[in-house]
Amino acid sequence: MQPSFQAEPFALPFDPATTALVMIDMQRDFVEPGGFGEALGNDVNLVRSAIGPCQQVLAAARAAGVMVIHTREGHRADLTDCPPAKLTRGGKTFIGEPGPMGRILVRGEKGHDIIPELYPVAGEPVIDKPGKGAFYQTDLHLILQTRGIKTLVVCGVTTEVCVTTTVREANDRGYECIIPQDCVGSYFPEFQKSALEMIKAQGAIFGWVSNAAAISAALA
Ligand code: C5J
């Protein structure tokens, strides 16, 4: 019998061979003090609750042989790929300026890298993206198509920004997306609640919502 993820608004059947875990932007810049998230005036402690559940789902995906992909939001050191409209927005510190973890949201800097708790292992593609959506100006779609991937388990930060932007992009490209709600984090809990409701509303108009325990159990 085909396995399925328990989810809302209804269970989602999947094939492990055509499923990928996409870990969105679990970078120091978003989940540790001194990065981009804090520079925007946010309390990073609000998103750190997603780390443990993400570790659980990551371990389950690796054990099941499910493809794992990581993304990082950030820019070239010369900022030539950062639109002025993005560059000029911020709070205390702006993209490209020095911070305690190096230049904010710049590739190669300590803050730009993925947190040690969820660090990629050999064979797991890392997608560097200049925008919020992981499909915009990246080779993510090509990589997924090449592997025949149809279903995406999407985790990471932040829920209403890069996570659901990516889910909306993926949905339009024909992927079935499921978000474990404890594996995503937002600096604004009320935004997270609304963002996840929007995903699963109207008969899963953008995708499904589940949790780490259900995803891990289905992959076991
Ligand atoms: C933000 C992201 N929140 N990764 N980026 O600016 O969600």
Side-chain angles (χ1 to χ4, degrees):
M1 204 179 79
Q2 188 176 17
S4 58
F5 293 123
Q6 289 310 305
E8 291 181 341
F10 50 87
L12 173 65
F14 73 99
D15 175 353
T18 59
T19 298
L21 170 63
V22 183
M23 197 62 77
I24 302 284
D25 301 357
M26 288 302 283
Q27 299 161 250
R28 290 195 167 102
D29 259 326
F30 293 107
V31 304
E32 291 185 359
F36 184 56
E38 198 175 76
L40 293 173
N42 301 306
D43 175 5
V44 294
N45 288 312
L46 288 163
V47 296
R48 296 188 60 81
S49 59
I51 296 174
C54 279
Q55 284 179 299
Q56 184 185 353
V57 169
L58 182 59
R62 285 173 176 163
V66 162
M67 184 182 203
V68 176
I69 296 178
H70 305 260
T71 73
R72 301 185 295 200
E73 181 180 350
H75 298 279
R76 293 167 177 261
D78 62 6
L79 304 179
T80 47
D81 62 347
C82 187
K86 183 176 182 184
L87 203 51
T88 52
R89 276 180 261 170
K92 289 180 285 182
T93 317
F94 294 85
I95 294 170
E97 290 183 357
M101 295 189 291
R103 293 177 65 207
I104 300 279
L105 228 57
V106 168
R107 293 177 190 161
E109 301 288 342
K110 181 179 176 188
H112 175 262
D113 209 359
I114 293 167
I115 58 172
E117 296 94 321
L118 297 168
Y119 211 74
V121 297
E124 295 177 352
V126 178
I127 308 284
D128 279 320
K129 61 188 185 66
K132 305 304 183 193
F135 289 85
Y136 176 67
Q137 299 290 349
T138 74
D139 54 5
L140 176 58
H141 189 50
L142 175 62
I143 290 172
L144 295 173
Q145 293 290 293
T146 302
R147 284 283 291 264
I149 299 295
K150 297 183 171 137
T151 307
L152 303 180
V153 178
V154 186
C155 302
V157 294
T158 61
T159 313
E160 75 281 8
V161 185
C162 291
V163 173
T164 50
T165 300
T166 297
V167 167
R168 286 164 191 246
E169 288 181 329
N171 184 59
D172 279 347
R173 286 165 175 79
Y175 299 100
E176 292 187 313
C177 299
I178 184 163
I179 301 177
Q181 61 190 2
D182 45 352
C183 295
V184 292
S186 172
Y187 307 119
F188 306 92
E190 70 277 22
F191 289 176
Q192 166 146 328
K193 186 169 177 296
S194 300
L196 294 177
E197 278 170 9
M198 287 178 210
I199 293 298
K200 68 182 181 188
Q202 304 177 79
I205 196 153
F206 295 115
W208 286 256
V209 176
S210 185
N211 58 69
I215 300 289
S216 305
L219 291 174

